[in-house]
mmCIF file of all heavy atoms in Angstrom:
data_model
loop_
_atom_site.group_PDB
_atom_site.id
_atom_site.type_symbol
_atom_site.label_atom_id
_atom_site.label_comp_id
_atom_site.label_asym_id
_atom_site.label_seq_id
_atom_site.Cartn_x
_atom_site.Cartn_y
_atom_site.Cartn_z
ATOM 1 N N GLN A 119 15.933 46.868 27.113
ATOM 2 C CA GLN A 119 15.102 46.890 25.938
ATOM 3 C C GLN A 119 15.643 45.865 24.909
ATOM 4 O O GLN A 119 16.825 45.744 24.758
ATOM 5 C CB GLN A 119 15.136 48.164 25.075
ATOM 6 C CG GLN A 119 14.654 49.332 25.940
ATOM 7 C CD GLN A 119 13.051 49.435 25.906
ATOM 8 O OE1 GLN A 119 12.556 49.004 24.877
ATOM 9 N NE2 GLN A 119 12.502 49.985 26.891
ATOM 10 N N LEU A 120 14.816 44.915 24.487
ATOM 11 C CA LEU A 120 15.093 43.918 23.622
ATOM 12 C C LEU A 120 14.870 44.475 22.170
ATOM 13 O O LEU A 120 13.823 44.789 21.828
ATOM 14 C CB LEU A 120 14.274 42.574 23.740
ATOM 15 C CG LEU A 120 14.373 41.955 25.117
ATOM 16 C CD1 LEU A 120 13.345 40.738 25.177
ATOM 17 C CD2 LEU A 120 15.709 41.524 25.380
ATOM 18 N N THR A 121 15.887 44.529 21.357
ATOM 19 C CA THR A 121 15.684 44.971 19.970
ATOM 20 C C THR A 121 15.542 43.637 19.140
ATOM 21 O O THR A 121 16.334 42.733 19.032
ATOM 22 C CB THR A 121 17.027 45.683 19.435
ATOM 23 O OG1 THR A 121 17.228 46.777 20.324
ATOM 24 C CG2 THR A 121 16.765 46.109 18.059
ATOM 25 N N VAL A 122 14.317 43.639 18.446
ATOM 26 C CA VAL A 122 13.899 42.404 17.712
ATOM 27 C C VAL A 122 13.859 42.828 16.137
ATOM 28 O O VAL A 122 13.118 43.850 15.682
ATOM 29 C CB VAL A 122 12.620 41.965 18.139
ATOM 30 C CG1 VAL A 122 12.270 40.687 17.356
ATOM 31 C CG2 VAL A 122 12.588 41.634 19.533
ATOM 32 N N THR A 123 14.490 42.206 15.301
ATOM 33 C CA THR A 123 14.524 42.518 13.787
ATOM 34 C C THR A 123 13.433 41.649 13.298
ATOM 35 O O THR A 123 13.370 40.335 13.485
ATOM 36 C CB THR A 123 15.937 42.102 13.209
ATOM 37 O OG1 THR A 123 16.869 42.885 13.741
ATOM 38 C CG2 THR A 123 15.883 42.449 11.750
ATOM 39 N N LEU A 124 12.472 42.214 12.674
ATOM 40 C CA LEU A 124 11.337 41.472 12.128
ATOM 41 C C LEU A 124 11.754 40.608 10.955
ATOM 42 O O LEU A 124 12.578 40.928 10.100
ATOM 43 C CB LEU A 124 10.280 42.417 11.662
ATOM 44 C CG LEU A 124 9.666 43.256 12.655
ATOM 45 C CD1 LEU A 124 8.612 44.228 12.090
ATOM 46 C CD2 LEU A 124 8.911 42.464 13.808
ATOM 47 N N GLY A 125 11.443 39.313 10.940
ATOM 48 C CA GLY A 125 11.724 38.342 10.057
ATOM 49 C C GLY A 125 12.957 37.500 10.522
ATOM 50 O O GLY A 125 13.259 36.483 9.841
ATOM 51 N N GLN A 126 13.518 37.667 11.845
ATOM 52 C CA GLN A 126 14.578 36.865 12.204
ATOM 53 C C GLN A 126 14.112 35.549 12.772
ATOM 54 O O GLN A 126 12.955 35.480 13.397
ATOM 55 C CB GLN A 126 15.441 37.680 13.204
ATOM 56 C CG GLN A 126 14.833 37.755 14.573
ATOM 57 C CD GLN A 126 15.719 38.534 15.512
ATOM 58 O OE1 GLN A 126 16.640 39.191 15.161
ATOM 59 N NE2 GLN A 126 15.457 38.245 16.843
ATOM 60 N N THR A 127 14.897 34.556 12.664
ATOM 61 C CA THR A 127 14.643 33.246 13.545
ATOM 62 C C THR A 127 15.049 33.378 14.891
ATOM 63 O O THR A 127 15.553 34.478 15.235
ATOM 64 C CB THR A 127 15.268 32.097 12.788
ATOM 65 O OG1 THR A 127 16.672 32.246 12.678
ATOM 66 C CG2 THR A 127 14.582 31.889 11.443
ATOM 67 N N MET A 128 15.082 32.381 15.632
ATOM 68 C CA MET A 128 15.545 32.453 17.094
ATOM 69 C C MET A 128 17.023 33.020 17.255
ATOM 70 O O MET A 128 17.879 32.446 16.574
ATOM 71 C CB MET A 128 15.369 31.071 17.673
ATOM 72 C CG MET A 128 15.524 31.073 19.263
ATOM 73 S SD MET A 128 14.300 32.012 20.126
ATOM 74 C CE MET A 128 12.824 30.944 19.936
ATOM 75 N N ASP A 129 16.960 34.063 18.138
ATOM 76 C CA ASP A 129 18.254 34.682 18.463
ATOM 77 C C ASP A 129 18.328 34.514 19.963
ATOM 78 O O ASP A 129 17.303 34.940 20.602
ATOM 79 C CB ASP A 129 18.300 36.122 17.927
ATOM 80 C CG ASP A 129 19.701 36.711 18.076
ATOM 81 O OD1 ASP A 129 20.640 35.955 18.222
ATOM 82 O OD2 ASP A 129 19.797 37.950 18.022
ATOM 83 N N TYR A 130 19.573 34.400 20.465
ATOM 84 C CA TYR A 130 19.589 34.255 21.919
ATOM 85 C C TYR A 130 20.353 35.499 22.522
ATOM 86 O O TYR A 130 21.479 35.920 21.949
ATOM 87 C CB TYR A 130 20.361 32.964 22.397
ATOM 88 C CG TYR A 130 19.622 31.856 21.953
ATOM 89 C CD1 TYR A 130 19.841 31.004 20.745
ATOM 90 C CD2 TYR A 130 18.537 31.371 22.818
ATOM 91 C CE1 TYR A 130 19.040 29.996 20.433
ATOM 92 C CE2 TYR A 130 17.750 30.252 22.464
ATOM 93 C CZ TYR A 130 18.118 29.535 21.214
ATOM 94 O OH TYR A 130 17.370 28.459 20.893
ATOM 95 N N LEU A 131 19.980 36.199 23.550
ATOM 96 C CA LEU A 131 20.447 37.265 24.202
ATOM 97 C C LEU A 131 20.742 37.004 25.679
ATOM 98 O O LEU A 131 19.918 36.259 26.361
ATOM 99 C CB LEU A 131 19.613 38.528 24.076
ATOM 100 C CG LEU A 131 19.074 38.910 22.674
ATOM 101 C CD1 LEU A 131 18.120 40.023 22.705
ATOM 102 C CD2 LEU A 131 20.199 39.306 21.778
ATOM 103 N N SER A 132 21.863 37.525 26.174
ATOM 104 C CA SER A 132 22.153 37.124 27.587
ATOM 105 C C SER A 132 22.376 38.571 28.275
ATOM 106 O O SER A 132 23.043 39.435 27.725
ATOM 107 C CB SER A 132 23.413 36.363 27.606
ATOM 108 O OG SER A 132 23.837 36.094 28.910
ATOM 109 N N PHE A 133 21.870 38.642 29.449
ATOM 110 C CA PHE A 133 22.034 39.863 30.230
ATOM 111 C C PHE A 133 22.587 39.583 31.710
ATOM 112 O O PHE A 133 22.152 38.523 32.261
ATOM 113 C CB PHE A 133 20.683 40.705 30.469
ATOM 114 C CG PHE A 133 20.105 41.044 29.032
ATOM 115 C CD1 PHE A 133 19.155 40.282 28.589
ATOM 116 C CD2 PHE A 133 20.525 42.087 28.521
ATOM 117 C CE1 PHE A 133 18.479 40.488 27.329
ATOM 118 C CE2 PHE A 133 19.951 42.492 27.266
ATOM 119 C CZ PHE A 133 18.921 41.616 26.719
ATOM 120 N N ASN A 134 23.575 40.200 32.151
ATOM 121 C CA ASN A 134 24.083 39.984 33.514
ATOM 122 C C ASN A 134 24.179 41.379 34.230
ATOM 123 O O ASN A 134 25.054 42.080 33.991
ATOM 124 C CB ASN A 134 25.505 39.386 33.322
ATOM 125 C CG ASN A 134 25.983 38.828 34.595
ATOM 126 O OD1 ASN A 134 25.401 38.972 35.671
ATOM 127 N ND2 ASN A 134 27.092 38.212 34.637
#
Side-chain angles (χ1 to χ4, degrees):
Q119 294 281 332
L120 303 174
T121 303
V122 182
T123 305
L124 296 176
Q126 78 178 21
T127 55
M128 189 62 75
D129 187 22
Y130 296 97
L131 305 172
S132 182
F133 302 97
N134 191 353

